[in-house]
Amino acid sequence: MKINKKKLLFVCLGNICRSPAAEGVMKSIINANKANAYYEVDSAGIGNWHVGQLPDSRMRACGLKRGYVFNSHARQFTKSDFQYYIFVMDQENYRQITSQTQNENERKKVVMLADYITQHANVKIIADPYYGNEKDFNNALDLIEDACQQLFVALETS
């Protein structure tokens, strides 16, 4: 029997901070729940500046302190990625990705990851920590963990 996997794609600007962290956190949650056979998880960036690179060393360090290994290589979003459900980090990511949709079905697949945040009041985006410090990276990771936990629950009950 063939299993139809739920395909999830996390998108940020350059695919070296937020989206690879979300990919790693979600994979960890899925693995902990022994649900690997039911999901395909990836990440991509809007731009091509970092294609082929590992995630930012600061994000990898923050993730490692929490038990995550962020080791995916950056890639740029392509139109073929509309096969996934797409979770973006901020309004500019949303605008950039939805501007590439061909139809309403594709547009409906693009959602703000922050919509799943429940533990942090009034947060509407997952801000880019790239020009910040360790506190900014940890804050982004706090939000990503919260959102991914809730997203997993939502996917498992849908």
Side-chain angles (χ1 to χ4, degrees):
M1 179 170 97
K2 184 175 175 5
I3 297 172
N4 285 330
K5 291 186 175 191
K6 294 177 182 176
K7 296 181 175 190
L8 315 177
L9 181 71
F10 297 97
V11 175
C12 69
L13 187 60
N15 194 213
I16 62 165
C17 294
R18 297 169 292 171
S19 58
E23 174 188 354
V25 167
M26 185 55 93
K27 283 180 175 177
S28 179
I29 293 166
I30 290 166
N31 188 49
N33 285 278
K34 297 178 177 39
N36 296 23
Y38 305 101
Y39 292 90
E40 181 180 324
V41 181
D42 199 0
S43 64
I46 290 168
N48 65 357
W49 314 282
H50 303 289
V51 169
Q53 294 178 16
L54 285 170
D56 186 287
S57 61
R58 298 165 294 174
M59 184 57 87
R60 285 187 284 144
C62 288
L64 197 56
K65 288 178 184 173
R66 299 178 190 214
Y68 302 112
V69 176
F70 302 144
N71 61 3
S72 60
H73 291 267
R75 71 177 185 84
Q76 186 173 15
F77 182 87
T78 66
K79 289 192 187 282
S80 67
D81 287 325
F82 285 111
Q83 67 180 301
Y84 293 92
Y85 289 99
I86 301 164
F87 300 91
V88 298
M89 303 298 153
D90 59 40
Q91 287 95 345
E92 181 58 21
N93 300 157
Y94 183 84
R95 190 188 67 71
Q96 289 278 337
I97 298 301
T98 56
S99 73
Q100 297 180 50
T101 59
Q102 305 272 345
N103 55 54
E104 190 59 25
N105 185 46
E106 288 180 354
R107 183 176 291 277
K108 286 180 182 177
K109 288 183 167 188
V110 184
V111 177
M112 297 282 287
L113 182 60
D115 289 352
Y116 290 90
I117 291 172
T118 60
Q119 304 300 311
H120 302 83
N122 301 318
V123 174
K124 302 293 183 210
I125 67 165
I126 299 171
D128 192 348
Y130 186 78
Y131 293 105
N133 58 30
E134 185 177 357
K135 181 177 180 265
D136 298 305
F137 280 86
N138 278 312
N139 183 56
L141 202 45
D142 288 344
L143 299 175
I144 288 166
E145 286 176 325
D146 181 2
C148 285
Q149 284 285 353
Q150 300 310 315
L151 173 58
F152 182 76
V153 169
L155 290 167
E156 286 294 293
T157 56
S158 65

